[in-house]
Amino acid sequence: MLAASETPASPGYDAYDLMRRLAELPKTAPLPGTADAGGRSPFARDRARVLHSKSFRRLAGKTQVVAPDEEGVPRTRLTHSLEVAQIAREIGAQLGCDPDLVDLAGLAHDIGHPPFGHNGEAALDRIGAAAGGFEANAQNLRLLARLEPKVVAVDGRPGGLNLTRAALDAVIKYPWSRPAGGGKFGVYADEQAVFGWVRESAPGTRRCLEAQVMDWADDVAYSVHDVEDGLDAGRIDLTRLADPDERDAVCAAARPYSDESTDDLRTVLDDLLALPAVAGRGQYPPGALADAAVKAMTSELTGRFCTGAIAATRAAAGDGPLLRYRADLQVPRRLRAEVAVLKAVAGRYVIADPSRLRAQEREQQILTDLVRVTADRGVDALDPEFRSGFAAATDDAARLRIVLDQISLLTDAQAIARHQRLRG
């Protein structure tokens, strides 16, 4: 049942979808006679909780690909998340998903990311192996359902943001535990109870449509915008791709992102570079016209990837509202391949740049040192919100998980400053 201050969600979502794990008392601060004025849907309320959370604000200081303090105006994890939310909202609205729900999924999809982007994630996973490792997607659920302070149970258990079942489900990109052979996953052992509650009627490891929309929006934003940032930073020069050997190298680098053959990826890259919006980008010298051409390319490619997925999904599933488990997002094979080669362009010229690799080694050492020193010093090295959990932990693995929680919350700058302070 909805609270007095809540309005119904979009058609198709039922009481099961809107359920929260913990009961919440009505608000007590409204002026007399105003309790029923206004009102938000449960998903609008969930979206606001994510948007106003401390963990979300911290993303402003966390690396996307180019560090926040480098020259230019590179994207951070925060601006990337805002862009993913906007793309997801547009796609979801066209399919019949609740706009606030897919928007929320985009906002929260990286909320568990540590300092220094995927490089930092890899470092924490290695040093945290004894606690089950570290995975940003599993950390998303841990933050939303436990760590982010908002709602507390009557017995004192933290309830995180206490989001609705459908909201938590929409954020879970990988609905399974860590595979025995390694790989991405969406839940730690400590969150199996809440994961089971969220997924109790879900069909196996199938993702809800809202999570699929968020995932594709993330791929679109990640591939297109990382190339844009690389162009703006002068690290990517598309004229280099006139060299056949360079094209072959990019296609080889795209193989981890795609099931297509290298030859097929080469055809896709050739066709992509021949698109007017992409080919026209190199007509101008550095300056306002060149910048405008890059933005036009970004807009054209984003639209191409979004409308292609919408049209393919509608063709497969028909008209009417498509939400939850009523349909799966259909992305044309060509579009997935195009996204893969764009990721490879950013990977080859930005992420794998030798100067960047040296910086990544330093970043990993910083996080490794922070975890070791914090674990050794214990309570005194932790922020107040983590001290009681560390003191109550019954074994080294549980204490290490608390340390990983602490270090993963830090921004890039906070990690560097804390490292300098703890190392003396």
Side-chain angles (χ1 to χ4, degrees), residues 231-248:
L231 289 167
D232 286 345
R235 295 186 177 189
I236 295 177
D237 179 2
L238 292 181
T239 62
R240 292 180 64 181
L241 294 177
D243 181 347
D245 290 340
E246 279 297 310
R247 294 197 188 198
D248 289 343

Side-chain angles (χ1 to χ4, degrees), residues 285-343:
L289 290 177
D291 291 345
V294 170
K295 295 303 294 184
M297 180 189 75
T298 301
S299 178
E300 291 267 9
L301 292 177
T302 301
R304 176 184 178 88
F305 297 147
C306 293
T307 56
I310 293 168
T313 303
R314 281 297 183 193
D319 298 330
L322 306 177
L323 47 89
R324 297 291 279 152
Y325 294 95
R326 296 184 187 178
D328 289 309
L329 189 71
Q330 305 297 319
V331 180
R333 177 179 168 186
R334 167 169 284 276
L335 296 188
R336 289 197 182 276
E338 289 175 356
V339 162
V341 296
L342 287 175
K343 288 181 179 180

Side-chain angles (χ1 to χ4, degrees), residues 1-281:
M1 179 179 296
L2 298 179
S5 60
E6 291 183 321
T7 59
S10 297
Y13 297 93
D14 58 23
Y16 174 86
D17 302 323
L18 305 181
M19 188 178 294
R20 302 181 191 277
R21 290 193 79 207
L22 301 180
E24 298 184 19
L25 296 174
K27 294 185 181 295
T28 60
L31 290 172
T34 66
D36 294 330
R40 295 174 293 172
S41 74
F43 298 146
R45 188 181 298 278
D46 287 345
R47 178 184 178 277
R49 291 182 179 188
V50 172
L51 191 64
H52 293 288
S53 67
K54 292 193 294 185
S55 296
F56 184 71
R57 293 198 298 274
R58 287 177 183 271
L59 297 180
K62 297 189 180 185
T63 293
Q64 171 62 13
V65 171
V66 180
D69 59 352
E70 293 193 25
E71 292 185 6
V73 190
R75 286 170 170 85
T76 64
R77 283 284 161 188
L78 179 67
T79 59
H80 166 71
S81 297
L82 291 170
E83 289 166 335
V84 171
Q86 184 270 325
I87 294 170
R89 188 181 188 98
E90 294 291 336
I91 296 174
Q94 292 293 320
L95 298 177
C97 302
D98 185 278
D100 285 319
L101 179 56
V102 285
D103 194 315
L104 170 158
L107 292 175
H109 85 284
D110 268 354
I111 201 167
H113 252 281
F116 310 127
H118 290 291
N119 185 47
E121 184 181 21
L124 292 184
D125 187 42
R126 283 196 298 272
I127 191 66
F134 184 90
E135 161 62 50
N137 291 281
Q139 196 71 14
N140 290 345
L141 183 61
R142 185 169 172 84
L143 273 169
L144 297 173
R146 182 196 295 256
L147 298 180
E148 185 62 36
K150 172 66 178 178
V151 177
V152 179
V154 292
D155 62 0
R157 288 180 297 112
L161 297 182
N162 200 32
L163 303 181
T164 60
R165 176 184 273 113
L168 287 174
D169 200 17
V171 180
I172 297 175
K173 187 184 293 189
Y174 306 106
W176 52 80
S177 302
R178 183 168 196 146
K184 308 296 286 184
F185 61 100
V187 57
Y188 298 128
D190 289 351
E191 276 66 56
Q192 282 293 343
V194 65
F195 179 80
W197 176 81
V198 173
R199 303 278 302 174
E200 65 182 21
S201 67
T205 58
R206 182 183 172 193
R207 298 178 299 170
C208 64
L209 179 61
E210 293 84 356
Q212 295 178 52
V213 168
M214 171 270 288
D215 192 16
W216 180 239
D218 185 25
D219 272 352
V220 171
Y222 170 27
S223 60
V224 175
H225 295 151
D226 286 359
V227 170
E228 181 186 324
D229 279 353
L231 289 167
D232 286 345
R235 295 186 177 189
I236 295 177
D237 179 2
L238 292 181
T239 62
R240 292 180 64 181
L241 294 177
D243 181 347
D245 290 340
E246 279 297 310
R247 294 197 188 198
D248 289 343
V250 166
C251 292
R255 292 287 289 114
Y257 307 116
S258 176
D259 295 329
E260 307 294 339
S261 69
T262 303
D263 288 342
D264 286 344
L265 289 170
R266 174 61 185 269
T267 300
V268 166
L269 177 58
D270 291 346
D271 292 346
L272 189 62
L273 293 172
L275 289 175
V278 180
R281 187 263 156 199

Side-chain angles (χ1 to χ4, degrees), residues 341-354:
V341 296
L342 287 175
K343 288 181 179 180
V345 169
R348 177 167 173 79
Y349 300 125
V350 180
I351 299 172
D353 181 89

